[in-house]
Amino acid sequence: YRSGGVYWSGQCQDGKSRGNEPYYCPVGWERFSFQYSSEVLDFDDKYDNWPIAYIGATWDDAIRIIFADLEVSKSTVLGAGVLLTPSIEYASHPHLAKPFYLDLDKEYQIKWHKGDYRQDMRMYDKRYIQCVFQCRVKPGCYTKYGGILDNNDKQISQDKILWHVKGNIGEYIGDDKILVCGIMFRAT
């Protein structure tokens, strides 16, 4: 999606249903996939027709989500649940995906990403970055609402830009409703 990478214009036309929701190219973002065992999740049969949605995250939230499931928040404007959006532009609003200054020379910032991703993250070193999670959402488990933040995304209808998956406060929502399948980064 970044310069020299995969790109398409308009809705993705690859023949997959994605729950009959539109999916647009996340221009300017780099995606790091989470690897799941195909035998355990049976991805193609179970998740291939689930729509793609995004969750904007602060840096601290991103680390917690990577190592745990999505915790139901009591602070959503729609009540207890998890808020997602089919718009990466909406998810990257600074209120949701607060820019974070990455300094790989700082000890506390390098502990979590030793190994293969360390070199990949060098391109973001000494820059402000944002992170957004790319998810698959089970059809029928979310309700669509209008947005509450200023948003410049002209591709997604503003009256259906927020998706709310209900839950109980403190509950963790797992891959039976939301599968976190990647983390997206961009430098701002």
Side-chain angles (χ1 to χ4, degrees), residues 54-144:
Y54 302 95
I55 298 174
T58 65
W59 190 256
D60 291 338
D61 286 343
I63 300 304
R64 191 178 72 246
I65 291 169
I66 288 171
F67 294 109
D69 287 326
L70 296 168
E71 184 175 3
V72 170
S73 173
K74 62 183 173 202
S75 63
T76 76
V77 296
L78 301 171
V82 174
L83 290 177
L84 304 100
T85 176
S87 167
I88 197 163
E89 292 305 316
Y90 194 91
S92 65
H93 187 285
H95 180 73
L96 301 173
K98 183 178 177 183
F100 175 82
Y101 185 75
L102 183 65
D103 184 348
L104 294 177
D105 295 328
K106 302 234 182 205
E107 182 64 25
Y108 72 93
Q109 290 186 13
I110 62 173
K111 286 182 181 177
W112 70 270
H113 65 274
K114 294 181 182 195
D116 295 340
Y117 288 124
R118 184 171 171 76
Q119 189 59 38
D120 293 332
M121 294 303 291
R122 281 274 166 221
M123 68 191 299
Y124 299 109
D125 194 24
K126 309 288 189 280
R127 298 175 75 184
Y128 282 92
I129 62 170
Q130 287 182 287
C131 56
V132 169
F133 284 94
Q134 187 180 58
C135 305
R136 295 291 186 113
V137 188
K138 182 178 182 179
C141 80
Y142 57 91
T143 305
K144 296 179 184 181

Side-chain angles (χ1 to χ4, degrees), residues 159-176:
D159 63 338
K160 298 178 181 179
I161 204 157
L162 275 181
W163 296 358
H164 183 247
V165 177
K166 289 183 182 179
N168 297 313
I169 296 171
E171 171 188 8
Y172 287 92
I173 295 183
D175 60 14
D176 59 322

